[in-house]
Amino acid sequence: MENSYQIKIVSSLCRVFPDEEPQAKPECGKLTALRGETVSFQAAVRLCGAAGKAKISAAAAPGVSVRLREVVAAPSNYPCHPTQLDDNYERTAPGLFPDILREMPDGETRLNAWWKAFWIDVETTADTPAGEYPVTVTVEQVTGPWDAAVQPVSAQTAVTVFAAELPEQTLLRTEWFHADCLADYYRVPAFSEEHWRILESFRRTAASRGINMILTPTFTQPLDTAVGGERTTVQLVDVFQNDGKWSFGFDKLGRWIDILDRQGVEYIEISHLFTQWGAKHAPKVMATVDGEYKKVFGWE
């Protein structure tokens, strides 16, 4: 088979699986935006016949900017309950599922016969003139396959920008935001300076996508926790007990809220003070009791 690139423009709502050719739907190719809005689409790419390193780039007409990221497929060995299915599942068997968006500083990636997706954001500003803005995605060879030349290919779509801006958001939108998961994933101590930097980065992205309420761990949230188990402690309220008297510190909570204020997040969501499944137990609460830091509430 002759070595060649294939590229297809698909909707941001399409999941591009490595072993299945994505279906481009015409109605998903009509991108529109208001001033100050970000719209997204994907480019699905593969290299027929072999494997090699390629460079992916996206360019738009002046007036809008583009951001390109690689969609990384993550393994899932339990995508659904086998006995609780309906016809709306795209896939029910374990496999690789598109999930992680990874930055591409030099635009280089490895391509082979399996489909890979690239995520393109088209960002407008409050000053973007109304009109149609073509966006072109190009794939060109860097190395291989086996020194065989592969011709570059391009695909194009367009974004129509209207001369209007969205009114201020009135919907309260929250997503579960787990500070402990970020500490665990990046292997940093909870509320270390690096953890604060990571938290701020993720919340900035959330705010830019219309999330204006953040789950705030005044105490470590008792969510999705096995009976008797614990999540990594991310407790913003410091608790003290000295000579039988309780007192509280709010420095970390104040810092958390100050950051949200700077990012324009106006609301906080606070988890319940009981376990998720049945409300039978207290959440984990850590305290300094007469100088000793220990758990004072939990499953017991």
Side-chain angles (χ1 to χ4, degrees):
M1 179 185 293
E2 181 182 355
N3 297 309
S4 60
Y5 295 120
Q6 277 187 281
I7 181 171
K8 300 184 74 170
I9 299 296
V10 296
S11 164
S12 61
L13 300 179
C14 174
R15 274 163 290 279
V16 178
F17 294 100
D19 60 341
E20 180 182 335
E21 182 174 355
Q23 301 302 311
K25 298 180 179 180
E27 64 270 22
C28 295
K30 300 175 182 179
L31 298 175
T32 60
L34 299 181
R35 287 172 170 166
E37 190 176 10
T38 297
V39 295
S40 306
F41 67 93
Q42 297 178 94
V45 183
R46 71 169 181 162
L47 174 56
C48 301
K53 185 179 288 188
K55 183 173 183 177
I56 314 292
S57 60
V64 299
S65 59
V66 293
R67 180 186 184 188
L68 173 72
R69 285 174 288 177
E70 181 178 10
V71 181
V72 180
S76 172
N77 60 8
Y78 197 77
C80 65
H81 298 299
T83 58
Q84 299 177 19
L85 301 178
D86 60 29
D87 294 334
N88 295 307
Y89 281 86
E90 288 183 282
R91 298 216 168 176
T92 59
L96 293 174
F97 292 75
D99 183 31
I100 303 166
L101 296 182
R102 184 162 60 194
E103 299 288 351
M104 303 178 66
D106 56 7
E108 292 188 1
T109 186
R110 293 198 66 84
L111 294 176
N112 51 40
W114 305 103
W115 288 96
K116 178 181 285 191
F118 299 88
W119 187 276
I120 298 96
D121 289 326
V122 183
E123 300 174 346
T124 70
T125 70
D127 300 320
T128 300
E132 185 172 277
Y133 293 83
V135 182
T136 303
V137 181
T138 301
V139 186
E140 52 190 333
Q141 184 179 25
V142 176
T143 61
W146 303 303
D147 298 324
V150 185
Q151 296 300 311
V153 297
S154 296
Q156 190 176 83
T157 187
V159 178
T160 300
V161 179
F162 296 105
E165 293 185 48
L166 284 173
E168 184 175 350
Q169 179 175 319
T170 58
L171 176 72
L172 301 186
R173 182 190 171 196
T174 185
E175 304 282 352
W176 278 2
F177 184 91
H178 290 309
D180 58 313
C181 292
L182 292 174
D184 294 344
Y185 182 83
Y186 289 102
R187 301 180 182 181
V188 296
F191 300 127
S192 61
E193 287 305 313
E194 180 62 9
H195 190 214
W196 280 111
R197 187 194 67 78
I198 293 166
L199 290 170
E200 186 164 0
S201 176
F202 272 77
R203 289 194 302 240
R204 184 184 305 111
T205 298
S208 71
R209 295 297 183 265
I211 294 176
N212 56 4
M213 179 186 293
I214 291 291
L215 179 61
T216 297
T218 50
F219 300 109
T220 304
Q221 59 270 15
L223 303 172
D224 294 335
T225 306
V227 174
E230 291 186 4
R231 300 179 71 113
T232 297
T233 300
V234 282
Q235 181 176 311
L236 288 170
V237 175
D238 294 318
V239 181
F240 305 92
Q241 187 185 46
N242 293 297
D243 298 326
K245 295 181 179 181
W246 296 92
S247 60
F248 305 92
F250 301 99
D251 290 346
K252 291 195 291 290
L253 179 59
R255 180 175 180 178
W256 177 284
I257 293 175
D258 286 344
I259 293 172
L260 295 182
D261 284 343
R262 293 199 301 271
Q263 295 170 336
V265 178
E266 299 181 70
Y267 305 93
I268 62 173
E269 176 186 11
I270 297 177
S271 183
H272 35 69
L273 291 176
F274 44 80
T275 50
Q276 183 177 8
W277 307 115
K280 296 179 180 179
H281 304 274
K284 178 174 68 171
V285 177
M286 303 296 293
T288 302
V289 180
D290 295 325
E292 180 187 359
Y293 188 66
K294 63 181 183 180
K295 184 172 64 174
V296 293
F297 292 101
W299 291 101
E300 69 281 5

